[in-house]
């Protein structure tokens, strides 16, 4: 069974601060996705990383996939209240039988105070 | 373009009743996935379907749960004889092809409450 450990579970910061959310596993993933979920809504895809060591930037968000494809991080620079939400990482398992079967971390609830 | 549509958004059932959750994938998508999100937990994979085929049902409880994706119409997740432990948010996602299965677009979910 593949598991994704996401940390921290809760993060409360002031506007303008930087933060990093981590997603770790002992398993190799063929890809890793980051989603953001608002209360009462479904997850919205932010980014997909596929290659070990890959770094992707989305405005103030920087996503990195570990060299061994077992871990990932999400870094937010100069957080804003609009960044408040639940952030989820999800991995697609390596191997043909894992197509479409995303394993989700438990999520990080981020609160950015004005 | 319409996204993934799920209905109903909220469903209340009494113990022992049946719950039917519907999911219409994005236009052009032929692959559908169902996930369950229990309170205070992350999303858990339940089943992966293609039109008229169940590809992977390894996350489905062995009893009372079934899923289908017919040639015409939405995908249906059916829960028979619901119990309180079935109360959760059920999310459907879709992708266009098998090889892009990692790119999944989610609906807004159906929140099932069992009284």
């Amino acid at each position: 069974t593949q598991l994704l450990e996401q940390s921290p579970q809760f993060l409360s910061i002031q506007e303008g601060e930087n933060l990093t959310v981590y997603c770790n596993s002992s398993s190799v993933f063929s890809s890793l996705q980051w989603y953001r979920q608002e209360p009462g809504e479904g997850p919205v895809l932010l980014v997909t990383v596929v290659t070990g060591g890959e770094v992707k930037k989305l405005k103030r968000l920087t996503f990195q996939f570990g060299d061994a494809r077992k871990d990932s991080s999400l870094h937010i620079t100069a957080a804003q209240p609009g960044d408040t939400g639940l952030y989820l990482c999800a991995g697609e398992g390596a191997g043909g039988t894992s197509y479409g079967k995303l394993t989700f971390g438990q999520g990080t609830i981020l609160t950015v105070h004005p | 373009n319409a996204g993934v549509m799920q209905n109903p958004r909220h469903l209340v059932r009494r113990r022992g009743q049946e719950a039917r959750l519907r999911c219409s994938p994005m236009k052009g998508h032929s692959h559908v996935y169902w996930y369950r999100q229990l309170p205070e937990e992350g999303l858990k994979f339940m089943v992966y379907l293609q039109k008229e085929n169940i590809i992977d049902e390894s996350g489905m409880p062995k009893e009372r749960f079934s899923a289908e994706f017919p040639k015409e119409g939405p995908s249906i997740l059916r829960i028979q004889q619901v119990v309180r432990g079935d109360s959760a948010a059920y999310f459907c996602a879709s992708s266009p092809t098998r090889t892009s299965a990692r790119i999944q677009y989610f609906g807004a979910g159906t929140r099932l409450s069992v009284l």
Side-chain angles (χ1 to χ4, degrees), chain A residues 77-89:
Chain A
T77 304
Q80 298 176 1
D83 296 328
T84 294
L86 173 65
Y87 290 83
L88 297 160
C89 63

Side-chain angles (χ1 to χ4, degrees), chain B residues 1-5 24-27 106:
Chain B
N1 288 329
V4 178
M5 304 300 293
S24 295
M26 285 181 71
K27 187 176 181 180
F106 282 79

Side-chain angles (χ1 to χ4, degrees), chain B residues 11-51:
Chain B
L11 183 61
V12 180
R13 285 286 179 266
R14 296 191 181 279
R15 282 178 295 170
Q17 291 184 320
E18 179 179 286
R20 281 186 178 236
L21 287 61
R22 288 176 291 277
C23 169
S24 295
M26 285 181 71
K27 187 176 181 180
H29 288 194
S30 58
H31 297 248
V32 164
Y33 318 84
W34 286 92
Y35 294 83
R36 177 165 63 176
Q37 188 172 37
L38 292 168
E40 308 303 323
E41 292 188 18
L43 282 83
K44 304 290 186 190
F45 169 82
M46 298 182 74
V47 63
Y48 167 19
L49 309 108
Q50 194 180 357
K51 288 275 188 183

